Amino acid sequence: MPYQNENDGFEVIVVGGGLAGLAAAYILADRGVEVLVLERGDYCGAKNVTGGRIYLNPVREIFSQLLKDAPFERHIAHEEVSLFAASRSLTLRYDGSELGDPPYQSYSVLRAKFDRWLARQAEKKGAMLATKSRVDDVILENGVVKGVRAGGEELRANVVIACDGVLSLVSERAGLRKDIQPQYYAVGIKEVIEMDRKAIENRFNLEGEEGVARLFMGDVTAGMFGGGFLYTNLDSISLGLVVSIKDLLENQREVIVSDLLERFKQRSEVSLLIKGGETVEYSAHVIPEGGFNALNSLYGDGILVAGDAAGFALNIGVTVRGMEYALASGYYAAQTVLHAREKGDYSRATLGLYRQLLEDSFVLKDFKSFRDALSVLNSPRLFQHYPELLGNILRDLYWIPPGPKDRLYSTVRRYLGVREVWQALGDVRRMSKI
Amino acid sequence: MSLTTGLKSKLGLNVFKESSKFHIRIKEGKEKDPRLQKAVLVCPAGLYSQNPEGEVVLSSDGCLECGTCLIACGRELLDWEYPEGGSGVQFRFG
Amino acid sequence: MNIVVAMKQIPDLQQVRIKNRKPILDDVPLTFGNIDRNALEAAVLIKEQVGGSVTVVAAGKEGLEDTVKEALAAGADQAYLIICNEQEDIESSISAKLLAEAIKQLGSVDLVLFGEGSGDNYSSQVGSRVAELLDLPQVGYVERIELTAGELVVTRSLEDGKEVVQVALPAVLTVVTDLNQPRIPSVTQILKAGRKPKKVMSDQELLGAVPTPKVKTLSNLAPEIKRKQIQVGTAVELVEKLQAEGFLGRA
Ligand SMILES: Cc1cc2nc3c(=O)[nH]c(=O)nc-3n(C[C@H](O)[C@H](O)[C@H](O)COP(=O)(O)OP(=O)(O)OC[C@H]3O[C@@H](n4cnc5c(N)ncnc54)[C@H](O)[C@@H]3O)c2cc1C
Ligand code: SF4
């Protein structure tokens, strides 16, 4: 182990052993850099929550070796989206060889298992890991970050990488964070429901280690911005909701967020899916979803910020994406440190390379192209009006009345009047921007 | 089963490690702040409630460390930090 | 003073789930029991008072080399580890033989500390057995240790009182949890732990032939919990029900 002496400090301190932090530590250790990861949980992953699906395509190349033996749950071979109105729902299913054949696009994942595994890989490369260690503050000297304080100790380093998640205390203390604004955040709440492996495969029509990802919109969140999700794991189901915190604060009906999840589970469409399963964990976590406009400063003198800490998660209506941005930004932070190390200079100017690397990668490209996603998607029409409307049309299409049934055209026409179509066109135009 | 008892028993499924002090506090004098009443709605663990005097009180059992109350109420109303290393919720699945 | 602390690697009991009345141990992190930590803290405090060294001796399965870092971070100077991968669950008599042999190999030892019982099955045998094998005096239920001029004065916590005894060294003590509050290691301590000396041996290397176990665990079932699901409408009703169940109103 390269660690020498507590007085002359470390080359790099990574705060937070989540995906961003462990990715950075893995790359740095692999290149022989002395790196210390500080994680407050009993083990890596102990504090982390995700919905459950990680997309590999964007990060396959940069982590080609690493991700080969990763303990993922199931590869997602079937996608379903359901629109929920008050007492009916409409579901679209998408599958086929595009999804079902390797290399698989995405996998379901459980973080306690995955992060612990990733930590072991980083340690094998030589990274030092101290768990049960909470960072309390940064050491700031003349505006330059010189290390961190943890458990009454000063730990100095050439550079600190803040990977401490959405509430990032480290970047806040370093003065890199915007003030908290509820509209930039959602809360995700989730249950892990244990179920027999065969029962999962039968219920969801899965072959072997195939998995399904299901999303639910509309009444699930009482019309608030967000949605429900269901991912199948090997021996369990991840079921939960993501809801805009601003909408929760402003909702006039005083909906309690934990009740929303209970109601979601009690919907007949959902209760059938989880029947016979046993809830084994209940978790919650804030998600940054403000997109490009809400990103925090990405670097300063002696500091880089990666993952949720920087704001790198996107809510694009059908899915929350954050894990691959965390892995990739950790990777680019590590690349930046390697460059700074060569120059022997960890100033803001040198670390600015980080932004450049992110601009050139899918990370900031995605954030720019989804720049307006939040404002477009966060429209009540999308989460209340359309599910209701589609439901109405379908009900009338399928409804066999006691008397003669209307012709299809007039059924549809009843709902899709000129005004409706005009407004819908407007919405489509706005949607096409994201 | 009512929704609240359901919530308590769900929290009972998690692993919580003891810590020497609770890591969130309502700032003194802010107990009746109307913005704080929103915490009652948004806390996924149902730890905030309003007492008959109209003050919001915080129970310290079962915090998921999600941060929702901090985002909703801000540092003006809450002293909020993570529990010390090795304590608090430890997810087995995540 | 050369102090040995015997510690047992056990699953983090708070992390163990029960399914169909059986504990699920997959992926459960390994750690040391709380009382073992008290024993270690006591040893470190004595060392800090009079100097010397603290050696952790432990017998267990793979993972032990990693788990022992916790003890090295919390103040132990070195570790002597016996890896027994063949054995399902190491029987008390066999762990005692292994530990006693390891302690003999360490040479001059003044004090050996054990937790009164292990965190997982609390058979409370190993300390006494090791004392016997090493031909040392043993004092149990120790809740306070004082060191004066080469002799130990220890307080034993008994059900109906406290007993104070004097022990000549070398000796074996088994301690209870009221003894102290184990320290939380700092980051520097955690990092240094990785570089402290460790001697690792297999049980065969240490004993030659390992005795075959004579006690076999057949089942380890959690008690069945029956919820009565009694519903009450008013506080008065609640009190009545609790009285009827015998939870209230007893002297
Ligand atoms: C309900 C939900 C559903 C989601 N669904 C998806 C999805 O399907 N797909 C997807 O890609 N993304 C999803 N996301 C987002 C994704 O989970 C996050 O973007 C991702 O986990 C961010 O990783 P990270 O490493 O940046 O942060 P985290 O995983 O939050 O890691 C931060 C780490 O820092 C540690 N830490 C924090 N503060 C300190 C401190 N002071 N000292 C020491 N350690 C500290 C924490 O313990 C933690 O280990 C979802 C999120 C939620 C909550
Ligand atoms: S952090 Fe989350 S669970 Fe804890 S009190 Fe705040 S809102 Fe509730």
Side-chain angles (χ1 to χ4, degrees), chain A residues 28-227:
Chain A
L28 289 169
D30 188 44
R31 299 288 293 273
V33 181
E34 180 198 52
V35 52
L36 166 65
V37 181
L38 298 169
E39 166 57 44
R40 66 189 185 91
D42 265 15
Y43 41 85
C44 288
K47 304 286 183 179
N48 301 345
V49 183
T50 197
R53 172 223 292 250
I54 182 165
Y55 285 94
L56 284 199
N57 286 348
V59 289
R60 216 186 286 275
E61 228 165 81
I62 53 182
F63 290 110
S64 57
Q65 275 313 305
L66 176 67
L67 293 174
K68 267 195 201 125
D69 323 301
F72 296 123
E73 295 290 316
R74 292 172 181 273
H75 63 265
I76 303 301
H78 310 276
E79 309 267 1
E80 289 182 43
V81 181
S82 300
L83 284 176
F84 274 31
S87 50
R88 58 187 171 225
S89 63
L90 162 72
T91 297
L92 270 173
R93 182 169 170 115
Y94 161 44
D95 36 26
S97 58
E98 219 171 88
L99 291 176
D101 292 346
Y104 306 120
Q105 282 197 32
S106 68
Y107 289 84
S108 54
V109 61
L110 291 168
R111 293 290 297 279
K113 189 164 153 201
F114 187 79
D115 292 14
R116 256 170 99 184
W117 170 84
L118 192 55
R120 265 198 306 281
Q121 308 315 308
E123 277 188 292
K124 276 192 202 153
K125 292 282 180 198
M128 294 173 273
L129 169 66
T131 53
K132 305 183 188 178
S133 303
R134 180 189 65 184
V135 168
D136 304 320
D137 205 352
V138 294
I139 307 172
L140 257 187
E141 289 171 7
N142 304 321
V144 181
V145 174
K146 294 285 189 183
V148 299
R149 293 195 177 81
E153 269 189 311
E154 283 207 346
L155 301 162
R156 302 181 80 85
N158 294 340
V159 59
V160 171
I161 313 181
C163 303
D164 50 342
V166 54
L167 304 178
S168 183
L169 173 101
V170 170
S171 56
E172 183 181 328
R173 292 292 166 93
L176 300 176
R177 243 177 119 74
K178 297 200 165 99
D179 282 345
I180 297 172
Q181 298 186 46
Q183 73 264 31
Y184 290 154
Y185 298 91
V187 53
I189 59 177
K190 163 178 164 183
E191 283 182 33
V192 175
I193 301 168
E194 197 167 50
M195 201 184 280
D196 179 65
R197 192 174 288 207
K198 276 274 156 300
I200 294 177
E201 285 157 16
N202 288 338
R203 183 162 302 173
F204 295 93
N205 272 321
L206 306 172
E207 272 307 322
E209 299 202 346
E210 279 183 359
V212 61
R214 297 200 51 173
L215 298 154
F216 305 85
M217 297 167 78
D219 196 55
V220 209
T221 50
M224 290 181 275
F225 182 51

Side-chain angles (χ1 to χ4, degrees), chain A residues 284, chain B residues 22-24 39 42-48 58-59 62-70 80:
Chain B
F22 192 57
H23 57 106
I24 308 173
V42 301
C43 172
L47 300 189
Y48 290 85
L58 172 59
S59 130
C63 175
L64 300 166
E65 299 165 32
C66 66
T68 314
C69 56
L70 176 63
W80 201 108

Side-chain angles (χ1 to χ4, degrees), chain A residues 10 43 116 153 194 280, chain C residues 15 17 27 186-188 191:
Chain A
F10 304 86
Y43 41 85
R116 256 170 99 184
E153 269 189 311
E194 197 167 50
V280 287
Chain C
Q15 292 276 0
R17 293 190 297 133
D27 293 332
S186 68
V187 173
T188 314
L191 296 178

Side-chain angles (χ1 to χ4, degrees), chain C residues 6 9-10 13 22 29 65 87 98 102 111-112 129-130 146 172 185 193 200:
Chain C
Q9 170 178 263
I10 59 170
L13 297 177
K22 293 210 184 73
E65 275 189 70
Q87 310 212 15
L98 291 166
L111 182 62
V112 182
R129 283 177 179 271
V130 167
E146 274 169 287
V172 173
V200 186

